[in-house]
Amino acid sequence: MDNGSVEWFDLDLPEVIELRKKLLGSEKGRYHLLPFSAFDSQWLKTVAAFRPRPFLFLAEGVFMYFPEEQVRSLVMKLLELFPGSELAFDGFSPFVVWANNRRIARTKLGARYHWACKNGKKLESWGDMRLLGEWRIFDHVEPRLAKIRRLRFIPLVAKAIGIYRYRLGS
């Protein structure tokens, strides 16, 4: 993805950024570490300084841990501040959220999920954003998944995890 001019920002909680610095080293050149919650607007000011460049926001393993209202608020803030940018994230189906939370209630281990994304088109109703793509784990033949490929015939499993990509604004 790096064409030699990309500015890359890693955003995570302060304690995670500190650990990342210890293990992987500090920022340098076009690589920036932002020690904030995704819901803290401070990081938006830092990133906004790089406008009018195009932006691609990636949220990997994040949104399912927060209520829909918080996710929606963040997405709307990105839409407002970075029109024309893209957002890609992974999301779990309602079944996965339910199954995970049931397991946690039983075992008392793990973290609860709060938000599920059953259909990427639904988010278009949040505002001026357009779904560019929606992919599921079994959409393409992946040799590493050969042993579990037959699970694609079970709808709850086949649609358990999605990756969604949007254009924010016109």
Side-chain angles (χ1 to χ4, degrees), residues 95-146:
F95 171 73
V96 171
V97 170
W98 171 83
N100 175 72
N101 293 344
R102 188 161 187 254
R103 177 187 58 79
I104 288 170
R106 194 176 62 252
T107 65
K108 308 289 188 242
L109 298 172
R112 287 185 52 79
Y113 296 151
H114 296 279
W115 183 62
C117 187
K118 184 175 184 176
N119 179 335
K121 280 294 221 187
K122 179 186 178 240
L123 274 70
E124 290 182 332
S125 68
W126 288 3
D128 183 17
M129 53 193 288
R130 184 169 51 95
L131 180 67
L132 300 175
E134 180 173 331
W135 300 271
R136 303 291 175 171
I137 192 169
F138 294 117
D139 283 353
H140 303 287
V141 176
E142 169 56 57
R144 292 176 292 178
L145 300 177

Side-chain angles (χ1 to χ4, degrees), residues 74-93:
L74 175 59
V75 170
M76 293 299 94
K77 186 60 85 175
L78 294 175
L79 174 61
E80 173 191 333
L81 296 174
F82 305 99
S85 62
E86 292 187 14
L87 168 66
F89 65 89
D90 56 349
F92 295 147
S93 71

